[in-house]
Amino acid sequence: MIDFSTINAFNKGQRESFEDLICVLARREKHVNGVDFQPNNGSGGDGGVEAIWLLSNGNKIGYQAKFFLSIGTSQWAQMDESVKQALKVHPELQTYIFGLSKDLTPERGVKGKSQREKWDSHVIKWTSWAREKSITVEFKLWTETDLREMLLRDENINLVKYWFGQDVLNDYWFTHQVNHGIKALEDRFNAREHVSVEIETLFDFIARTDKARDELINGFREFKKSKLPIIEPSLPIRTPAPELQDQILQAWNEVVKCKKKITKDFNQKWDIPAILKSLDSFNTCFYILKNHFDSFDSKTDRSLLKNTFDSLSKLSSSFNSLNKLLCDVKVKAETHQCALIHGPAGIGKSHVLGLVADKRIQAGLPTVLLLGQSFSNSPFWEQLGSLLGLEGRTPDDLLGILNSAGERIGERCLILIDAINEGVGSSYWRNHLNEFISHIKKYPFLAIVFSCREEYLPYTIPNSLTVELPKLPVNGFSSFEEKEVAAINYLDKKGIARPNTPWLSPEFYNPLFLKTTSEALKAKGLNEFPRGLSGISSIMALYLDALSLRTGYKSLHSEDISKSIKQCVVDFSKHMAKNACDYVELQEATNIAATSFIGRVPPEGKTWLEVLINTSLFRKDPPPFSKNIDPFSPPSELIRFSFQKFQNHLMAKALVEEITVENQHLAFSKNGTLNFLFHGNNLDDGIKYQYAGLISSLSTIYPEQLSLEFSHTLPNWEKHWHNEQLLQKGFGESFKSRCSGAFTDSTKELLNQLNENHIQYFEIILEVSLMIEHPFNALSLHEKLKQYHMPERDSYWTRWINWASKEEGSQINRLVSWALSGSKDTNTVQHIELASLVLAWALTSSHITLRDKATKALTNLFLSHQDSFIYLLNKMHDCNDPYVVERLYSAAFGSCCIDQSFERLSTYSQEVYVKCIFR
């Protein structure tokens, strides 16, 4: 029996809960001519209604909820006031429905009017009020009995469980559930260190938020603004056929009408295939029209048609933007109500889900966060109900009540499940994922996002979902802007000075690595990275020291545990080198870790290998995917280092231990140490691509330990150098990471033999330009460029920076952005001077955007270190490009305008006078 006096109060109280229920029932009414359902979210409704249905003829159906436990004079007065407000605010009303939580007493033939008779009298009164305003309204009543009948229909039974069941899914319930999930994420999520990344826009689309809808609707608006060109018949040219003009106009109108399909109403799916079909029809006609005008090649015709060509260009641009947006995988995720985000270990998948859950809960949006590690091999739906703490144990019981939670507030409830490769494992999800998603799609107010490690995708996603399931990669901090914010959050806010150059090692842009090392520095009371932290060995040592603080092992001296970790790392790399493979099988890895920590007891319930996996030193990978795996003898899981670059470096170091200058050529013989690098163990068949990183590490360690260039030790090395792209790229990487004493004439020889189709010379030079001890830093670049005549330099250097400035994230753009970004007080004078040299030579660019930005960047450097202008002037005052010198003076003048100190102005004036007048 449904008793409205026991309706769940949720967040604000029973009255507001009853009003929400009436809105949901109103939304579920099927009106043949209904166009749009509009709930009013203000307390007590707005304008005498809780919600309205807007009809195609412009009329409205209004709904008013009254949570009355008794009905007397006061209650009738409240109803009168609601009617007055509704007639005033909504003169288009054709039907007005009261939803009451009580039944009206019927006529009894006794003295006094019954409640039913009073209703009839009030309807007569309200009708006369409407007539006075020239409004014709039908007044209807949903009584307690009517509402009970509606709620007991099959399609509404979940509303009963939600509004009258023991499971009360209010804001507190969702907050408690999400907080429990966030707590289980441990240090994989920290809201204070968040960096906004591109993947976050997925969640706006899959939840169909106003932000996502606005982005799509704006796309349609821009398309509509880009009107079809008006073709003047009076022009002395051949105009398109009238039939074509009519077709393209009709197609354009059809696309414009599609904007209405992007509705907030979750009961109406976004018909993206139909919209794309309309766009395709338009494009077919547009292509013919555009070709017609493109055929005019005379200057006279094209001059007459200038406005037409401009209109066609704008229309083409807006079409392409809209089409690209509608084809985006995020839009596909919304229409499928599901998505999977994936990426390697430590890249930030868990953090993204934790952040989205936290933000949505703070905004009062229903959200569930579960972790794959929490699932066992129990029956799926019973287990899901248990994890959520709900009574239900069937798909409809569980998903129905979550759907009702979203429907009550008119927003989607998001279910987020992190790391489905963990816990019970991939095969469990492979068996249940399809059914789970199929049930989700039955409920318009639900959507789900999973996360999974990259390596486990073939094992986790069933064949039936391989194409259908929208998948988006998580790339860590990928754009320059994201990397800048990451440096601010992880370093600046902890009081740790950034390393001295804008080009940190790639590891610094992995969220896990940056978080771990910054916390280690802070724990040690340090406020900067060790000087000269450019070599991979130095970075690794810092990282391993940091991991010792995260093992959970209690020791008076963290360096004790750090020593064991480093021994374990060495033992793993030697095992990989000995077996010529980039992994260790699980059981063998367990034994190696135990031996490395001999004499130390791991934290309770864990092996040392599990401890090191939890700290993210190692990762557990599935064996190579195969359809022919024997279920009675499955292959072992594999253990690798979490950071591939560390693994490559350690493995290369172990391999080179067996190589000397005297036996260098034997390394590539049939049974040689490095023979496994090649396909079929045959040098003529080329290097295996999977060992690209290892080639880079060998190219670093060979010159450091053997004073040899790795490429030069290959038999018939010139043939391999020109044919093997991996060799040149490996050399390029080693050029940035090897120690300063590992450069010889052989290094210069290889540098000058780079194939620019594989790797750019100046790209490498700019990467090392701010390294103080590097023999090819900005000073070397300066001497090289200064010796050229201006035309020769422009044909080589200037053409390259012009091209590079258009490439997002290019070295020159990163340097300019770094120099423009705030104070450089934490940087040494040498780094400022080296940066100023590169920026000064960037002033040769014929692209005004780069030239202007480089000028402003120099101004910023001069403001940070006043004497850097004097240094640069001494280097550049006799430059044979007058534009460079002119811009250099402009940058100095700009710094004097900003900092109008006498010392700066007098010093700069005197130096310029001497260099300019008496040079």
Side-chain angles (χ1 to χ4, degrees):
M1 181 68 177
I2 298 173
D3 182 356
F4 284 96
S5 67
T6 64
I7 191 171
N8 287 332
F10 298 118
N11 306 312
K12 297 180 181 179
Q14 288 184 310
R15 179 174 66 84
E16 288 80 3
S17 176
F18 181 74
E19 291 170 357
D20 291 340
L21 176 60
I22 295 299
C23 283
V24 170
L25 291 171
R27 186 196 301 271
R28 292 190 174 192
E29 280 207 301
K30 303 299 181 184
H31 296 287
V32 177
N33 58 343
V35 175
D36 188 25
F37 181 77
Q38 300 175 349
N40 291 320
N41 297 320
S43 178
D46 182 15
V49 295
E50 311 298 347
I52 60 171
W53 260 109
L54 183 63
L55 307 179
S56 58
N57 60 6
N59 290 341
K60 297 176 180 178
I61 300 175
Y63 300 85
Q64 177 59 250
K66 295 298 180 185
F67 183 69
F68 296 155
L69 298 180
S70 62
I71 301 178
T73 304
S74 173
Q75 285 72 32
W76 289 112
Q78 291 180 45
M79 294 169 74
D80 283 345
E81 185 59 32
S82 294
V83 172
K84 287 179 182 178
Q85 282 294 106
L87 294 174
K88 178 181 178 182
V89 178
H90 302 283
E92 305 88 354
L93 280 174
Q94 75 172 33
T95 307
Y96 189 76
I97 301 172
F98 272 109
L100 301 184
S101 56
K102 289 286 291 180
D103 280 330
L104 301 181
T105 57
E107 296 182 37
R108 300 178 184 274
V110 296
K111 186 176 180 181
K113 285 186 177 181
S114 66
Q115 290 173 348
R116 174 59 67 174
E117 289 172 315
K118 290 180 179 179
W119 164 263
D120 293 337
S121 298
H122 277 78
V123 167
I124 293 171
K125 178 173 62 174
W126 298 335
T127 302
S128 68
W129 290 353
R131 196 178 299 117
E132 290 173 4
K133 295 178 177 289
S134 300
I135 302 172
T136 301
V137 184
E138 179 183 8
F139 292 93
K140 292 185 177 181
L141 179 64
W142 287 351
T143 64
E144 180 181 10
T145 299
D146 296 325
L147 293 173
R148 192 178 293 122
E149 184 276 327
M150 294 166 72
L151 288 168
L152 291 175
R153 296 172 190 167
D154 289 344
E155 66 269 22
N156 292 332
I157 199 66
N158 285 309
L159 300 182
V160 178
K161 295 174 183 176
Y162 181 68
W163 261 272
F164 300 93
Q166 293 184 14
D167 295 323
V168 183
L169 272 63
N170 54 12
D171 283 357
Y172 173 81
W173 186 91
F174 283 107
T175 300
H176 176 75
Q177 198 284 326
V178 165
N179 286 341
H180 180 76
I182 286 176
K183 185 177 180 181
L185 287 176
E186 297 177 330
D187 61 355
R188 285 177 283 177
F189 170 68
N190 186 338
R192 295 188 302 276
E193 294 176 337
H194 174 63
V195 176
S196 293
V197 290
E198 173 64 23
I199 191 73
E200 292 174 46
T201 58
L202 159 69
F203 300 91
D204 285 320
F205 277 88
I206 202 167
R208 201 187 281 193
T209 64
D210 290 339
K211 183 179 179 181
R213 287 181 62 248
D214 288 345
E215 187 173 345
L216 285 170
I217 288 170
N218 284 336
F220 280 102
R221 286 174 179 159
E222 289 301 314
F223 179 82
K224 186 177 180 180
K225 281 167 57 179
S226 307
K227 295 182 180 294
L228 285 165
I230 298 173
I231 302 167
E232 295 289 346
S234 60
L235 291 174
I237 58 170
R238 178 171 50 86
T239 60
E243 296 82 5
L244 175 61
Q245 296 184 51
D246 291 342
Q247 287 175 4
I248 194 168
L249 178 60
Q250 182 180 353
W252 182 84
N253 283 323
E254 286 300 316
V255 173
V256 171
K257 289 178 185 176
C258 287
K259 186 182 77 169
K260 294 180 180 179
K261 297 180 185 290
I262 309 300
T263 174
K264 178 69 174 179
D265 186 354
F266 292 100
N267 289 304
Q268 297 183 34
K269 285 189 173 292
W270 288 353
D271 194 353
I272 301 299
I275 299 175
L276 290 174
K277 186 176 180 181
S278 296
L279 279 167
D280 188 56
S281 298
F282 168 81
N283 193 39
T284 301
C285 298
F286 182 74
Y287 180 77
I288 298 172
L289 182 70
K290 191 171 184 301
N291 279 347
H292 172 84
F293 286 105
D294 284 344
S295 65
F296 295 100
D297 53 6
S298 74
K299 290 184 177 180
T300 303
D301 288 344
R302 296 189 78 84
S303 176
L304 289 170
L305 292 169
K306 182 180 183 305
N307 292 336
T308 299
F309 281 115
D310 287 345
S311 297
L312 289 172
S313 177
K314 290 177 182 176
L315 188 55
S316 177
S317 177
S318 62
F319 165 82
N320 289 331
S321 297
L322 179 58
N323 192 62
K324 181 181 178 182
L325 180 58
L326 289 166
C327 292
D328 196 292
V329 68
K330 294 174 290 191
V331 177
K332 180 182 178 183
E334 193 288 325
T335 57
H336 285 69
Q337 295 172 236
C338 61
L340 181 138
I341 63 174
H342 58 91
I347 205 68
K349 303 180 296 296
S350 300
H351 176 85
V352 167
L353 293 188
L355 177 92
V356 169
D358 190 45
K359 279 187 174 181
R360 284 178 57 84
I361 286 303
Q362 291 181 35
L365 299 173
T367 310
V368 167
L369 176 62
L370 297 170
L371 275 61
Q373 67 192 41
S374 303
F375 285 82
S376 67
N377 217 13
S378 303
F380 181 77
W381 295 106
E382 292 182 13
Q383 183 173 195
L384 182 62
S386 177
L387 289 172
L388 293 174
L390 298 176
E391 287 186 334
R393 291 296 183 270
T394 68
D396 290 335
D397 285 344
L398 296 170
L399 301 183
I401 195 171
L402 290 171
N403 184 76
S404 297
E407 189 172 11
R408 180 174 71 85
I409 64 170
E411 298 286 351
R412 266 197 179 139
C413 175
L414 275 194
I415 303 172
L416 309 174
I417 304 183
D418 181 46
I420 57 177
N421 52 281
E422 296 181 0
V424 65
S426 301
S427 59
Y428 182 84
W429 288 99
R430 190 176 178 86
N431 293 330
H432 290 96
L433 211 54
N434 199 12
E435 180 195 8
F436 192 11
I437 290 174
S438 296
H439 280 290
I440 291 284
K441 291 182 178 181
K442 296 177 183 177
Y443 296 93
F445 288 86
L446 288 184
I448 189 164
V449 179
F450 306 91
S451 77
C452 182
R453 271 263 309 281
E454 190 85 46
E455 298 82 0
Y456 284 87
L457 289 179
Y459 298 84
T460 308
I461 310 302
N463 294 335
S464 56
L465 290 177
T466 301
V467 176
E468 181 184 353
L469 180 62
K471 295 181 280 292
L472 294 92
V474 180
N475 298 315
F477 309 133
S478 54
S479 70
F480 178 79
E481 291 75 16
E482 291 170 4
K483 293 172 183 178
E484 274 294 294
V485 176
I488 292 170
N489 285 355
Y490 286 92
L491 303 178
D492 297 359
K493 289 183 179 179
K494 289 185 173 72
I496 298 170
R498 302 189 199 184
N500 287 309
T501 75
W503 301 297
L504 307 176
S505 296
E507 289 73 30
F508 279 88
Y509 301 127
N510 179 289
L512 177 63
F513 178 86
L514 195 52
K515 174 183 173 65
T516 303
T517 50
S518 62
E519 288 176 350
L521 287 173
K522 187 175 181 181
K524 291 182 176 182
L526 302 175
N527 60 7
E528 64 178 3
F529 285 91
R531 295 293 183 188
L533 186 60
S534 56
I536 186 69
S537 297
S538 300
I539 297 174
M540 281 184 59
L542 175 64
Y543 183 71
L544 295 177
D545 286 341
L547 289 184
S548 66
L549 304 173
R550 301 179 60 207
T551 59
Y553 186 83
K554 296 181 179 179
S555 172
L556 292 176
H557 305 288
S558 61
E559 57 268 22
D560 291 345
I561 194 71
S562 177
K563 192 174 181 181
S564 295
I565 291 176
K566 290 173 182 175
Q567 182 61 51
C568 184
V569 161
V570 171
D571 293 343
F572 262 77
S573 59
K574 286 184 176 180
H575 185 278
M576 290 177 176
K578 180 181 178 182
N579 291 278
C581 56
D582 64 345
Y583 61 83
V584 180
E585 292 191 351
L586 179 60
Q587 187 55 56
E588 184 64 28
T590 303
N591 296 338
I592 292 173
T595 302
S596 302
F597 284 85
I598 195 164
R600 301 185 189 279
V601 180
E604 187 176 354
K606 294 182 179 180
T607 66
W608 276 116
L609 178 63
E610 289 170 336
V611 170
L612 296 177
I613 289 174
N614 288 343
T615 62
S616 298
L617 174 59
F618 297 117
R619 70 175 196 255
K620 187 189 295 184
D621 288 348
F625 181 73
S626 172
K627 295 181 180 179
N628 303 316
I629 291 176
D630 182 356
F632 294 102
S633 182
S636 168
E637 289 184 290
L638 311 176
I639 304 300
R640 292 184 171 94
F641 287 87
S642 291
F643 294 111
Q644 188 67 40
K645 189 166 185 177
F646 286 2
Q647 177 169 301
N648 292 331
H649 180 78
L650 290 164
M651 190 173 173
K653 198 170 182 181
L655 288 167
V656 174
E657 283 182 0
E658 301 180 20
I659 300 171
T660 64
V661 175
E662 291 73 22
N663 70 5
Q664 55 177 292
H665 295 299
L666 296 178
F668 303 102
S669 61
K670 185 175 181 181
N671 297 314
T673 308
L674 301 179
N675 188 256
F676 71 95
L677 296 172
F678 298 87
H679 290 285
N681 296 340
N682 187 345
L683 271 69
D684 293 332
D685 291 339
I687 299 170
K688 295 179 182 177
Y689 189 79
Q690 71 191 77
Y691 294 123
L694 189 55
I695 295 296
S696 172
S697 295
L698 289 167
S699 298
T700 302
I701 293 175
Y702 259 67
E704 288 187 349
Q705 295 191 4
L706 302 176
S707 298
L708 297 170
E709 291 296 336
F710 173 72
S711 298
H712 280 165
T713 66
L714 284 164
N716 196 10
W717 77 268
E718 289 178 312
K719 173 187 172 184
H720 289 289
W721 176 260
H722 292 295
N723 293 340
E724 296 282 359
Q725 183 181 146
L726 294 182
L727 275 181
Q728 295 200 28
K729 289 196 171 182
F731 170 78
E733 287 299 313
S734 78
F735 197 84
K736 294 179 283 184
S737 56
R738 64 176 71 180
C739 66
S740 57
F743 292 86
T744 64
D745 290 340
S746 295
T747 311
K748 187 180 292 187
E749 177 189 354
L750 290 178
L751 181 65
N752 291 327
Q753 291 191 37
L754 287 173
N755 183 335
E756 293 201 354
N757 292 322
H758 300 331
I759 186 166
Q760 296 283 331
Y761 172 88
F762 283 123
E763 185 177 293
I764 296 178
I765 295 300
L766 258 66
E767 288 278 3
V768 302
S769 60
L770 269 63
M771 295 181 182
I772 296 173
E773 302 297 330
H774 202 290
F776 290 86
N777 64 14
L779 280 168
S780 172
L781 175 66
H782 169 71
E783 295 301 326
K784 183 181 181 70
L785 294 178
K786 193 173 181 180
Q787 70 183 2
Y788 288 137
H789 293 296
M790 186 173 162
E792 186 182 7
R793 184 173 55 241
D794 283 347
S795 68
Y796 189 32
W797 160 258
T798 303
R799 284 183 63 190
W800 183 83
I801 59 170
N802 285 345
W803 167 82
S805 67
K806 297 178 182 178
E807 299 294 308
E808 184 180 1
S810 68
Q811 289 77 7
I812 192 65
N813 286 336
R814 284 154 57 193
L815 175 60
V816 169
S817 297
W818 171 79
L820 286 170
S821 60
S823 172
K824 296 289 172 287
D825 291 340
T826 60
N827 296 90
T828 64
V829 174
Q830 295 100 311
H831 287 103
I832 296 297
E833 291 173 350
L834 291 171
S836 69
L837 277 172
V838 180
L839 290 170
W841 284 113
L843 297 174
T844 68
S845 174
S846 56
H847 287 185
I848 191 168
T849 302
L850 174 59
R851 212 162 57 240
D852 287 350
K853 285 186 176 180
T855 306
K856 293 176 183 176
L858 280 171
T859 297
N860 199 45
L861 294 187
F862 297 161
L863 288 169
S864 295
H865 291 276
Q866 180 174 310
D867 290 342
S868 60
F869 169 66
I870 310 303
Y871 169 85
L872 191 58
L873 187 62
N874 287 328
K875 294 286 185 181
M876 301 292 297
H877 73 277
D878 56 350
C879 175
N880 57 11
D881 187 338
Y883 282 110
V884 172
V885 180
E886 178 186 285
R887 283 281 179 153
L888 180 57
Y889 292 154
S890 298
F893 179 71
S895 67
C896 291
C897 290
I898 296 170
D899 172 25
Q900 299 180 13
S901 65
F902 176 78
E903 180 187 0
R904 181 184 295 273
L905 187 58
S906 62
T907 302
Y908 284 16
S909 299
Q910 183 177 356
E911 290 295 325
V912 170
Y913 180 78
V914 171
K915 295 295 188 298
C916 183
I917 304 300
F918 297 105
R919 64 178 180 174

